[in-house]
C-alpha cells in the first residue's frame, strides 16, 4: 500500500512537470495583458522540435534548446499579430493552437516509430536524495522538474518584487497609465509573450524527452488546454500555479489507480476543469477583490 | 491599425481553411514504378482509403497504410488516395468527395464506426464499390473484411502466465466493446493455461489512441503489482513503461500490439500481435479487378491460418530472442500436450493455430460468476466470438456499463 502511494505520488510529479512549465509561461504572458490560447500548439511544436533535434544530434541540450526556440518563435508570431497588429487575441491564439498541432504532425511524420537514443534521466540530488520517502519523491527527478520548480519560484519573485516584474504587471493592468510612466508597452508585451512561449516549448520538450521517448502525433494530448485552465486556477500566481500543476497531474494519474475501485475515469478526467470553475466561483465570492482578479487589461489590444 | 488587424485575422482564417482543405485532399501516390516496365495495362483502378487516426499513430491506421503501400507495390494497375484522421461522424462527407472529385472505383472505410455511413453511401453510389473493415452489414456493392488477433493474444497470455512472478498480469484496454473483451478473454485463457493461479487485471482508458492515458494506466497496473502487460492502444506507451521499469531492475514483460514495437523496449517486449493487411488488400483489389460484381456475401475474416495475424513484436521474430532461454526454463502442462518447456509449448500451439487444429475458445469456459458459457468440448462459433460480453473466470473486475 505504501509502495502504491509513493509510486502514485512519483507519477504525479512526472505528469505535473510539463503542466508546471507551461503554466509558469502562460502566467508571465497573461500578466502582461496578452491572452495566448495557443499553448497546445506551442507545446506540440516544442515537443516535435525537441524530438527531431535530439534524435538527429543525440544531444539533449540541443534538443531542449530547439524546443525553447520553437515555442518562442511560435509565440513571437502570436505576439506580432496581437501586440503590433492589434488583432483579436482569442482568434490568433486559437489559430496558433491549430497551426501548431498540425505543423508538428507534418514535421514529425518521418520520426514516427523511432526510439530516442538518449533521454532526460532522473538525477539524484546528493544528500537530499537520501531522505526517506521525500528524497525519493522530490530529489529523484529529471532536470526539467528541478528547472521548473526553480523557474516557478523565480517567476514569482520576479513578478512580485523586481522593478521589471512590477512594470510587467502594470502593463497588464493599465497599459495607458504605464505608457504615461514611460514604459514601452508593446515591447514589454511582446517579450513576455515570447518568453511564455519558450516555457511552453520547454513543457513540450519534457513530454518527449522525459515523460515519453518517442514521438507520436498528438502526444501532448490536450495538456496545453489544461495549462490554460490552470492559469486561471492559479489566479495568475506562479506559486499557486505550482500547486495546481501537481494537483492536476495527480488527478490525471489517480484515475487509473482508483478505477478498480469502481470510480468512473471520465468523472476524474473532468475534475481539473471542475476545479477551475470552483476556484473562479470562490474567488468571485471573496470580499478582497483587489489582489486576486485577472490582469485588468487581459485580452484587450492596446493602441495609443 | 484596426484595418491591418482585420486583414491579419482574415489571413489566418484563410490559412486555416486552406490547411484543412489540403489535409483533406490527402496525398496522392502515383502507381508503382513497376507499372512502367510492365506493358501498360488497359484498365486502371483507383482506390480511396479512409482512416480514423493519423497514419502516424503507429497502430491501427499505420498498419492499414502499410497494407495499402504493399498493395500499391504489388498491383501495377492500382492508384490510391488516402484521407486520414476522419472522425466517425464525418465519413459521409469524405466519401462524397472521394466518389465525386477523386473518382475512386473502390473505397475502403477502416473503422467500425463508419459502418452506417458506408451503408448509406453504398446505396447512393451504386457504381462504386465499398469495403468496410470490421463491420457486419453488406450489400451487392459493399463487402466486409477483418483480420482478427485473438489467437495471438491467447499465445501472449501463455507467455505472460509462464513468466509472471507476482501472479498478477495486466491489460490496458481501449473501450469495453466485444472486440477488446474477446482479446482480454483470449489473453486470460492463455494465462490460465500456463498458470492457473494468475489473475488478469484490466484498466480502461476509453480511447483508441492516447499515449499519456495508456502510460498512466500501465503505471497504475505496475504499481498494483502486475509484471506482464498486454494492451489495446495505438502507441508504444505501455511498452515504454515496461522498458523503464525493467531498466531500473524491476522486470515488467510487455506484449507489442498491432505494429512492430519491439524496438521501443528490447528488454521488455517478449512477443506481441502483428497484423498484415497487405495480402488482404491485394486479394480484395484483385477480385475487383478481375470483375467480381456481387459482394453481398463477401466477408473476409482472416486469422493466423491466413497469415493475416502474426505472432511477435518484430516482423520475423515470433518471440524476442532475449527471452527464449528464459521461456525454455519455464514449464507449461496441459491435458492434450503434456508437459513441455514454455517456448516449445507456445511454438507448438502457434503451429496448431496456424493449421486450424486448435481453438483457444474451446469449452468448458466459465465466466466470472461461474456460469458455463461454452460447454465442454465445444468450440466457440464466430457469432459467439463477435458478441462476447463477459469476462472469463480469471479476469478481475467488472466490464464498465456503456
Amino acid at each position: 500500500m505504501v509502495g502504491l502511494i509513493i509510486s502514485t505520488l512519483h507519477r504525479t510529479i512526472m505528469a505535473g512537470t510539463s503542466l508546471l512549465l507551461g503554466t509558469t509561461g502562460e502566467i508571465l504572458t497573461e500578466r502582461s495583458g496578452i491572452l495566448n490560447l495557443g499553448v497546445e500548439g506551442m507545446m506540440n511544436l516544442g515537443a516535435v522540435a525537441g524530438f527531431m533535434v535530439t534524435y538527429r544530434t543525440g544531444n539533449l541540450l540541443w534538443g531542449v534548446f530547439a524546443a525553447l526556440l520553437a515555442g518562442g518563435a511560435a509565440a513571437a508570431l502570436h505576439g506580432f499579430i496581437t501586440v503590433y497588429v492589434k488583432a483579436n487575441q482569442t482568434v490568433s491564439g486559437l489559430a496558433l493552437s491549430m497551426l501548431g498541432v498540425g505543423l508538428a504532425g507534418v514535421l514529425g511524420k518521418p520520426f514516427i516509430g523511432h526510439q530516442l537514443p538518449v533521454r532526460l534521466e532522473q538525477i539524484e540530488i546528493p544528500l537530499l536524495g537520501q531522505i526517506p520517502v521525500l528524497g525519493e519523491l522530490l530529489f529523484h527527478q529529471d532536470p526539467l522538474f528541478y528547472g521548473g520548480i526553480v523557474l516557478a519560484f523565480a517567476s514569482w519573485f520576479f513578478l512580485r518584487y523586481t522593478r521589471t516584474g512590477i512594470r510587467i504587471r502594470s502593463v497588464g493592468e493599465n497599459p495607458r497609465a504605464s505608457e504615461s510612466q514611460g514604459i514601452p508597452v508593446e515591447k514589454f508585451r511582446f517579450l513576455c509573450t515570447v518568453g511564455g512561449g519558450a516555457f511552453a516549448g520547454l513543457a513540450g520538450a519534457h513530454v518527449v524527452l522525459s515523460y515519453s521517448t518517442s514521438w507520436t502525433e498528438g502526444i501532448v494530448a490536450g495538456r496545453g488546454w489544461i495549462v490554460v485552465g490552470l492559469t486561471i486556477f492559479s489566479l495568475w500566481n506562479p506559486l499557486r500555479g505550482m500547486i495546481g500543476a501537481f494537483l492536476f497531474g495527480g488527478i490525471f494519474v489517480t484515475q487509473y489507480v482508483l478505477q478498480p475501485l469502481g470510480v468512473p475515469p471520465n468523472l476524474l478526467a473532468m475534475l481539473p476543469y471542475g476545479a477551475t470553475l470552483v476556484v473562479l466561483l470562490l474567488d468571485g465570492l471573496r470580499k478582497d477583490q483587489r489582489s486576486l482578479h485577472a490582469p485588468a487589461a487581459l485580452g484587450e489590444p492596446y493602441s495609443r | 491599425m484596426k484595418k491591418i488587424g482585420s486583414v491579419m485575422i482574415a489571413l489566418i482564417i484563410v490559412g486555416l481553411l486552406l490547411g484543412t482543405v489540403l489535409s483533406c485532399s490527402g496525398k496522392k501516390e502515383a502507381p508503382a514504378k513497376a507499372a512502367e516496365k510492365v506493358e501498360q495495362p488497359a484498365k486502371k483502378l483507383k482506390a480511396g482509403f479512409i482512416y480514423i487516426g493519423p497514419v502516424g499513430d503507429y497502430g491501427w491506421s499505420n498498419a492499414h497504410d502499410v497494407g495499402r503501400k504493399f498493395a500499391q507495390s504489388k498491383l501495377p494497375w492500382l492508384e490510391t488516395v488516402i484521407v486520414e484522421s476522419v472522425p466517425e461522424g464525418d465519413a459521409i462527407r469524405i466519401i462524397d468527395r472521394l466518389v465525386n472529385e477523386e473518382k475512386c472505383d473502390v473505397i475502403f472505410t477502416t473503422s467500425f464506426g463508419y459502418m452506417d455511413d458506408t451503408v448509406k453511401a453504398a446505396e447512393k453510389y451504386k457504381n462504386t464499390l465499398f469495403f468496410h473493415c470490421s463491420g457486419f452489414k453488406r450489400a451487392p456493392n459493399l463487402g466486409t473484411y477483418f483480420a482478427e488477433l485473438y489467437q495471438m493474444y491467447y499465445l501472449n497470455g501463455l507467455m505472460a502466465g509462464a513468466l509472471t512472478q507476482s501472479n498478477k498480469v495486466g491489460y490496458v484496454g481501449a473501450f469495453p466493446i466485444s472486440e477488446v473483451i474477446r482479446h482480454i478473454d483470449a489473453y486470460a485463457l492463455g494465462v490460465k493455461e500456463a498458470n492457473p493461479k494468475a489473475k488478469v487485471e484490466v484498466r480502461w482508458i476509453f480511447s483508441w489512441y492516447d499515449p499519456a492515458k495508456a502510460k498512466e494506466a500501465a503505471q497504475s497496473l505496475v504499481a498494483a503489482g502486475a509484471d506482464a502487460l498486454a494492451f489495446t492502444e495505438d502507441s508504444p506507451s505501455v511498452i515504454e513503461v515496461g522498458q523503464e521499469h525493467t531498466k531500473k531492475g524491476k522486470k515488467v514483460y510487455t506484449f507489442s500490439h498491432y505494429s512492430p514495437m519491439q524496438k521501443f523496449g528490447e528488454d521488455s517486449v517478449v512477443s506481441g500481435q502483428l497484423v498484415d493487411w497487405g495480402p488482404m488488400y491485394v486479394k480484395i483489389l484483385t477480385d475487383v479487378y478481375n470483375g467480381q460484381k456481387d459482394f453481398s456475401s463477401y466477408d473476409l475474416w482472416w486469422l493466423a491460418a491466413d497469415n493475416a495475424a502474426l505472432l511477435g513484436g518484430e516482423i520475423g521474430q515470433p518471440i524476442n530472442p532475449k527471452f527464449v532461454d528464459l521461456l525454455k526454463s519455464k514449464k507449461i502442462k496441459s491435458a492434450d500436450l503434456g508437459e513441455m518447456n514454455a517456448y516449445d509449448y507456445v511454438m507448438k500451439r502457434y503451429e496448431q493455430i496456424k493449421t486450424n487444429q486448435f481453438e483457444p475458445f474451446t469449452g468448458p469456459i466459465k465466466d466470472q460468476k461461474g456460469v458455463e458459457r461454452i460447454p465442454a468440448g465445444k468450440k466457440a462459433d464466430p457469432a459467439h466470438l463477435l458478441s462476447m460480453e463477459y469476462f472469463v473466470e480469471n479476469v478481475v473486475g467488472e466490464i464498465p456499463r456503456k
Side-chain angles (χ1 to χ4, degrees):
Chain A
M1 195 59 202
V2 177
L4 185 71
I5 292 170
I6 292 180
S7 99
T8 307
L9 287 174
H10 200 261
R11 297 301 309 163
T12 295
I13 287 173
M14 282 291 284
T17 301
S18 56
L19 297 178
L20 170 67
L21 288 163
T23 306
T24 310
E26 184 66 7
I27 289 174
L28 182 69
T29 306
E30 292 196 9
R31 272 293 186 185
S32 77
I34 295 291
L35 175 70
N36 189 352
L37 295 178
V39 187
E40 179 79 7
M42 299 187 296
M43 278 180 74
N44 263 289
L45 285 171
V48 81
F51 189 88
M52 291 196 302
V53 170
T54 310
Y55 186 79
R56 285 266 183 257
T57 62
N59 188 330
L60 286 161
L61 259 178
W62 282 111
V64 170
F65 187 65
L68 273 172
L69 221 60
L77 182 68
H78 179 71
F80 174 73
I81 291 169
T82 57
V83 176
Y84 292 106
V85 189
K86 316 212 183 292
N88 185 312
Q89 301 180 6
T90 313
V91 175
S92 167
L94 287 174
L96 180 62
S97 244
M98 296 183 228
L99 180 82
V101 174
L103 192 62
V106 173
L107 290 174
K109 276 265 150 71
F111 296 89
I112 285 156
H114 291 287
Q115 175 82 319
L116 217 54
V118 283
R119 74 182 301 176
L120 285 170
E121 296 291 350
Q122 299 181 345
I123 297 171
E124 187 188 337
I125 304 259
L127 291 177
L128 291 173
Q130 305 294 327
I131 308 171
V133 184
L134 214 61
E136 192 180 331
L137 279 181
L138 296 177
F139 304 108
H140 271 266
Q141 294 288 354
D142 62 89
L144 283 181
F145 166 73
Y146 304 129
I149 296 284
V150 170
L151 283 170
F153 274 108
S155 305
W156 170 77
F157 183 82
F158 172 70
L159 283 172
R160 204 179 165 99
Y161 293 111
T162 65
R163 205 173 134 91
T164 320
I166 292 166
R167 285 175 156 192
I168 288 174
R169 284 193 288 141
S170 79
V171 164
E173 297 294 337
N174 192 336
R176 196 166 297 279
S178 308
E179 182 140 63
S180 72
Q181 296 289 316
I183 302 173
V185 174
E186 293 184 338
K187 192 170 136 198
F188 263 64
R189 287 188 154 184
F190 183 73
L191 288 179
C192 284
T193 308
V194 173
F199 272 92
L202 208 55
H206 181 265
V207 174
V208 291
L209 302 182
S210 171
Y211 190 74
S212 175
T213 50
S214 58
W215 166 260
T216 33
E217 226 174 305
I219 193 149
V220 175
R223 284 189 184 82
W225 297 110
I226 295 191
V227 162
V228 173
L230 254 172
T231 306
I232 302 168
F233 177 93
S234 73
L235 301 170
W236 297 271
N237 176 347
L239 293 188
R240 283 183 69 148
M242 192 155 76
I243 298 167
F246 293 117
L247 198 68
F248 284 28
I251 290 170
F252 183 68
V253 170
T254 330
Q255 41 181 312
Y256 301 102
V257 180
L258 294 181
Q259 204 182 83
L261 308 175
V263 182
N266 317 46
L267 199 73
L268 283 160
M270 185 197 77
L271 269 181
Y273 305 100
T276 304
L277 283 177
V278 169
V279 166
L280 282 179
L281 189 70
L282 290 179
D283 191 49
L285 296 174
R286 277 173 92 123
K287 286 248 169 64
D288 170 31
Q289 294 276 319
R290 213 155 40 97
S291 62
L292 290 171
H293 66 77
L298 179 62
E300 282 169 27
Y302 172 69
S303 44
R304 259 164 259 181
Chain B
M1 273 320 235
K2 264 260 163 76
K3 225 176 192 170
I4 305 183
S6 12
V7 170
M8 281 307 284
I9 296 179
L11 272 179
I12 292 170
I13 293 173
V14 168
L16 275 176
L17 283 177
L18 213 68
T20 326
V21 170
L22 281 178
S23 70
C24 282
S25 67
K27 295 111 213 173
K28 277 171 235 176
E29 284 190 21
K33 282 248 163 68
E36 285 152 27
K37 287 176 204 154
V38 190
E39 74 226 61
Q40 207 61 326
K43 194 167 80 172
K44 280 209 167 261
L45 204 61
K46 186 162 179 182
F49 290 75
I50 301 179
Y51 301 140
I52 184 80
V55 168
D57 64 1
Y58 214 65
W60 176 265
S61 297
N62 183 276
H64 279 280
D65 206 49
V66 171
R68 173 189 69 87
K69 285 185 187 143
F70 177 82
Q72 180 102 64
S73 71
K74 287 280 172 216
L75 309 171
W77 36 261
L78 179 68
E79 194 186 332
T80 61
V81 53
I82 67 166
V83 188
E84 55 185 327
S85 300
V86 177
E88 288 183 337
D90 213 13
I92 195 84
R93 190 172 63 87
I94 305 294
I95 294 174
D96 283 344
R97 244 183 47 78
L98 284 179
V99 174
N100 295 326
E101 280 151 54
E102 295 289 338
K103 311 278 181 221
C104 289
D105 308 298
V106 186
I107 291 171
F108 294 94
T109 52
T110 63
S111 182
F112 181 77
Y114 296 151
M115 182 160 68
D116 291 332
D117 279 349
T118 313
V119 171
K120 265 186 233 151
E123 273 165 26
K124 192 167 156 194
Y125 303 109
K126 294 282 184 206
N127 294 325
T128 308
L129 292 174
F130 293 88
F131 291 92
H132 176 233
C133 183
S134 79
F136 52 82
K137 291 184 182 166
R138 279 171 288 276
N141 61 337
L142 166 60
T144 51
Y145 64 104
F146 197 55
E148 173 51 51
L149 287 174
Y150 76 91
Q151 299 162 318
M152 301 304 112
Y153 273 107
Y154 158 79
L155 295 170
N156 292 166
L158 284 177
M159 292 181 251
L163 291 172
T164 177
Q165 301 282 333
S166 61
N167 286 342
K168 225 179 209 183
V169 168
Y171 195 106
V172 176
F175 284 100
I177 60 168
S178 59
E179 180 191 337
V180 179
I181 292 169
R182 175 169 71 240
H183 291 169
I184 294 172
D185 280 345
Y187 180 65
L189 288 178
V191 168
K192 191 180 152 202
E193 187 169 326
N195 184 346
K197 278 180 285 181
K199 299 274 179 216
V200 179
E201 267 200 42
V202 183
R203 294 285 187 280
W204 300 102
I205 60 169
F206 295 92
S207 172
W208 290 115
Y209 177 66
D210 193 322
K213 283 185 177 172
K215 183 155 239 169
E216 291 311 333
Q219 288 285 4
S220 82
L221 282 165
V222 173
D227 63 353
L229 304 175
F231 62 98
T232 311
E233 195 263 345
D234 291 339
S235 79
S237 306
V238 176
I239 307 249
E240 286 176 5
V241 170
Q243 176 74 6
E244 238 168 70
H245 283 283
T246 307
K247 271 207 154 167
K248 279 190 204 151
K250 183 181 178 186
K251 284 218 158 56
V252 174
Y253 307 103
T254 50
F255 296 92
S256 147
H257 175 60
Y258 235 87
S259 289
M261 297 178 176
Q262 193 163 299
K263 53 179 167 288
F264 291 94
E266 281 291 341
D267 309 302
S268 170
V269 175
V270 180
S271 179
Q273 325 93 40
L274 290 167
V275 163
D276 191 358
W277 293 101
M280 223 164 167
Y281 281 124
V282 170
K283 154 104 175 113
I284 295 171
L285 287 162
T286 311
D287 285 345
V288 171
Y289 191 74
N290 291 342
Q292 182 167 343
K293 284 281 175 288
D294 186 7
F295 291 88
S296 38
S297 57
Y298 196 89
D299 178 27
L300 300 184
W301 160 266
W302 281 14
L303 297 160
D306 312 287
N307 283 325
L310 309 167
L311 183 66
E314 192 59 61
I315 289 156
Q317 278 184 15
I319 293 173
N320 184 351
K322 282 192 178 175
F323 291 95
V324 169
D325 286 337
L326 183 63
L327 282 167
K328 279 187 175 159
S329 71
K330 311 274 179 187
K331 296 261 183 283
I332 304 182
K333 204 163 76 177
S334 71
D336 59 329
L337 293 183
E339 195 178 63
M340 259 190 232
N341 77 55
Y343 178 80
D344 290 340
Y345 194 95
V346 170
M347 293 316 252
K348 177 80 191 156
R349 280 279 190 247
Y350 189 29
E351 214 39 62
Q352 286 180 316
I353 283 170
K354 276 200 280 196
T355 49
N356 283 327
Q357 292 169 37
F358 180 79
E359 163 60 50
F361 285 100
T362 303
I365 287 174
K366 287 181 187 161
D367 68 12
Q368 289 171 309
K369 295 191 183 95
V371 180
E372 190 176 79
R373 294 290 189 147
I374 304 172
K378 268 199 106 175
K379 285 179 185 172
D381 54 15
H384 184 106
L385 291 174
L386 278 174
S387 59
M388 199 161 273
E389 293 287 339
Y390 62 88
F391 274 156
V392 294
E393 54 189 340
N394 60 334
V395 182
V396 182
E398 279 171 39
I399 299 171
R401 295 267 153 264
K402 270 163 228 164

